Amino acid sequence: EDDDDDDDDDVNVPVVPKAPEAEKKETPIKEEPEEIDDPTLQNIEDILNDAVQDMSDIGMCPKDIDSILTSPPKISSSSEKDDIADQEDAFAELNAMFSDADKELNDLLNS
């Protein structure tokens, strides 16, 4: 008797219970912010700590120091536009130079 029901064909198959470890959910590991393994990050942290100490030494209040450290970087949109315009101008100049050189080469080859 061949049928498509797989349950009847499994006569002596042992049932393996799930391992208790598989049922446990993994808990996320929280990294301690004080522990830094990357030497580059450690150097940056040291530089920031030195800067905070220097600002304190010159008499800045902690509120002003915190404001500096937590403020987002200022990006000037006008300088970005100027940079893009400069790049477009440079590209146009190079394109014109290649076009002129191509014409000269074609003139030389055809003469």
Side-chain angles (χ1 to χ4, degrees):
E1 287 178 32
D2 253 350
D3 58 13
D4 292 332
D5 186 12
D6 287 338
D7 293 338
D8 294 337
D9 300 336
D10 299 337
V11 178
N12 289 324
V13 177
V15 176
V16 180
K18 290 183 178 179
E21 297 87 30
E23 293 177 8
K24 293 181 182 178
K25 291 184 179 179
E26 291 184 25
T27 56
I29 299 172
K30 294 183 180 178
E31 294 183 20
E32 295 294 324
E34 290 81 25
E35 295 179 21
I36 300 175
D37 293 333
D38 186 2
T40 304
L41 291 177
Q42 183 61 51
N43 287 339
I44 292 171
E45 193 70 29
D46 292 343
I47 290 169
L48 284 173
N49 289 335
D50 289 344
V52 168
Q53 185 60 47
D54 291 344
M55 287 185 277
S56 295
D57 291 345
I58 62 170
M60 289 183 71
C61 70
K63 183 179 175 183
D64 291 338
I65 295 171
D66 188 50
S67 174
I68 291 170
L69 294 176
T70 58
S71 63
K74 295 179 182 173
I75 299 174
S76 173
S77 60
S78 64
S79 68
E80 287 180 14
K81 290 179 184 175
D82 291 344
D83 290 344
I84 291 172
D86 290 344
Q87 290 173 1
E88 289 175 352
D89 290 345
F91 180 75
E93 288 178 27
L94 285 173
N95 197 19
M97 287 173 37
F98 283 128
S99 180
D100 291 344
D102 191 38
K103 286 179 187 174
E104 287 182 34
L105 180 62
N106 283 331
D107 289 344
L108 288 173
L109 292 175
N110 291 331
S111 61

